Amino acid sequence: MMKTSLSLLLLLLGLSQAQSLVEEESSGDIPEEDDDMDISTMILSSNNGSSEVLLEGDLVLPTTRNAMRCWSKSCLWRKSSNGHVMIPYTVNRAFSSSDKSKIQNAMQSFHQRTCLRFVPRRNQYDFISFENRDGCYSGLGKTGGMQVLSLNRRGCMHHGIIQHEINHALGFQHEQTRSDRDKYVRINWQNIEPRMAYNFHRQNTNNLNTPYDYSSIMHYGKTAFSIQYGKDSITPIPNSRVQIGQRRGMSQTDILRINRLYGC
């Protein structure tokens, strides 16, 4: 009887240790999500010290054209004869199986509600390469050839952030820089470090006849690029209590814009 009890105790202890090892391996030493942190805070924190020259915190500076006006057909991914917009991609081996699942889930969310289809690259010239580089960033729209979409494993592997960067690769800019933003948000220039003020310049955007969207996955939070902790750089008007900078996932308007831009 004593031998049976001892064997059972050792078995349970072994199972407990094995489970701990599995959980440790799957986590990949990636911090858990902080519910108090908006998407811009997470992205800008991850991009601090990046070797890339980034516009608005996570847009790769174009070297061949002004990507901030990327609304011509050459900057869009092409629609195939079956009505789907096929976007080839590769995923770098540096990502763990858990990371790859998160990337796959983010891409799948576009499949469910738009005509976009992310497909593993074969020999296509234009494609998105998901890579574990020094931050969370992407080019704006289809840039030609291999387009790096960086997702650093230690700060970018969150569903909303992955969607955010994919939206940049599709051609979408930040909500707070759209052409009519001054009707909906106040930019508190006095709370922004002068050398960072360019990140808030309005852009000549194609708003696709959609309303300003405080809940957009592309909207930065209230303290983005703030010169001092607790000071708001962006204030929604007329209701300053409106929440901006969510990172849970695309809003209804985000999805509507994708379908309009790509004729879904």
Side-chain angles (χ1 to χ4, degrees):
M1 183 69 177
M2 184 177 293
K3 289 184 177 180
T4 302
S5 299
L6 181 60
S7 298
L8 181 59
L9 179 61
L10 290 173
L11 176 61
L12 291 173
L13 180 60
L15 289 173
S16 175
Q17 291 176 336
Q19 179 64 27
S20 297
L21 287 172
V22 169
E23 290 175 353
E24 182 177 315
E25 181 180 359
S26 64
S27 69
D29 295 327
I30 297 172
E32 292 295 321
E33 295 195 11
D34 183 349
D35 290 335
D36 295 329
M37 198 176 289
D38 62 54
I39 194 168
S40 59
T41 301
M42 297 178 73
I43 290 175
L44 296 178
S45 176
S46 295
N47 292 355
N48 185 29
S50 172
S51 60
E52 290 285 348
V53 179
L54 302 173
L55 300 173
E56 299 177 23
D58 67 338
L59 285 170
V60 178
L61 181 68
T63 57
T64 58
R65 58 176 169 77
N66 181 7
M68 300 308 288
R69 292 180 180 271
C70 181
W71 295 104
S72 67
K73 293 296 183 182
S74 64
C75 298
L76 300 181
W77 298 89
R78 296 178 62 181
K79 182 182 287 187
S80 62
S81 58
N82 64 6
H84 290 155
V85 177
M86 311 301 285
I87 304 176
Y89 73 90
T90 60
V91 179
N92 191 274
R93 293 180 179 178
F95 291 110
S96 68
S97 58
S98 175
D99 298 332
K100 292 176 182 178
S101 293
K102 291 178 180 179
I103 294 171
Q104 288 287 347
N105 289 338
M107 291 190 293
Q108 188 64 36
S109 65
F110 290 85
H111 296 186
Q112 294 169 355
R113 307 179 72 177
T114 75
C115 62
L116 305 186
R117 297 294 183 270
F118 292 89
V119 296
R121 183 199 181 214
R122 293 183 179 177
N123 57 1
Q124 298 94 330
Y125 177 74
D126 298 322
F127 67 100
I128 293 174
S129 177
F130 291 92
E131 301 191 8
N132 174 34
R133 294 197 180 185
D134 56 351
C136 328
Y137 51 80
S138 171
L140 183 60
K142 179 167 67 69
T143 58
M146 184 181 80
Q147 179 164 336
V148 172
L149 193 158
S150 174
L151 296 170
N152 185 274
R153 295 191 64 236
R154 292 190 174 275
C156 308
M157 300 311 300
H158 305 279
H159 187 71
I161 289 180
I162 300 171
Q163 284 187 338
H164 180 101
E165 300 306 335
I166 289 176
N167 266 280
H168 279 321
L170 296 177
F172 291 98
Q173 295 173 263
H174 293 125
E175 189 74 356
Q176 75 276 357
T177 62
R178 63 180 261 169
S179 58
D180 61 350
R181 65 100 187 274
D182 290 335
K183 299 177 183 178
Y184 307 98
V185 294
R186 181 176 68 252
I187 305 301
N188 302 310
W189 301 101
Q190 73 279 8
N191 295 338
I192 300 169
E193 191 172 341
R195 67 186 181 88
M196 294 296 179
Y198 71 91
N199 291 298
F200 293 90
H201 293 165
R202 282 184 296 120
Q203 304 298 330
N204 183 22
T205 55
N206 177 1
N207 299 325
L208 299 163
N209 294 317
T210 59
Y212 192 91
D213 184 14
Y214 294 111
S215 64
S216 172
I217 197 68
M218 306 308 291
H219 206 307
Y220 267 6
K222 293 182 179 181
T223 60
F225 295 102
S226 177
I227 198 170
Q228 183 179 345
Y229 179 78
K231 294 285 187 179
D232 288 355
S233 54
I234 309 172
T235 302
I237 53 178
N239 185 356
S240 62
R241 295 183 179 181
V242 170
Q243 294 298 310
I244 57 177
Q246 63 91 7
R247 57 180 175 78
R248 294 180 300 277
M250 291 185 292
S251 68
Q252 294 287 345
T253 303
D254 287 328
I255 295 165
L256 174 62
R257 287 173 185 160
I258 293 171
N259 287 325
R260 287 191 178 179
L261 184 62
Y262 282 93
C264 296

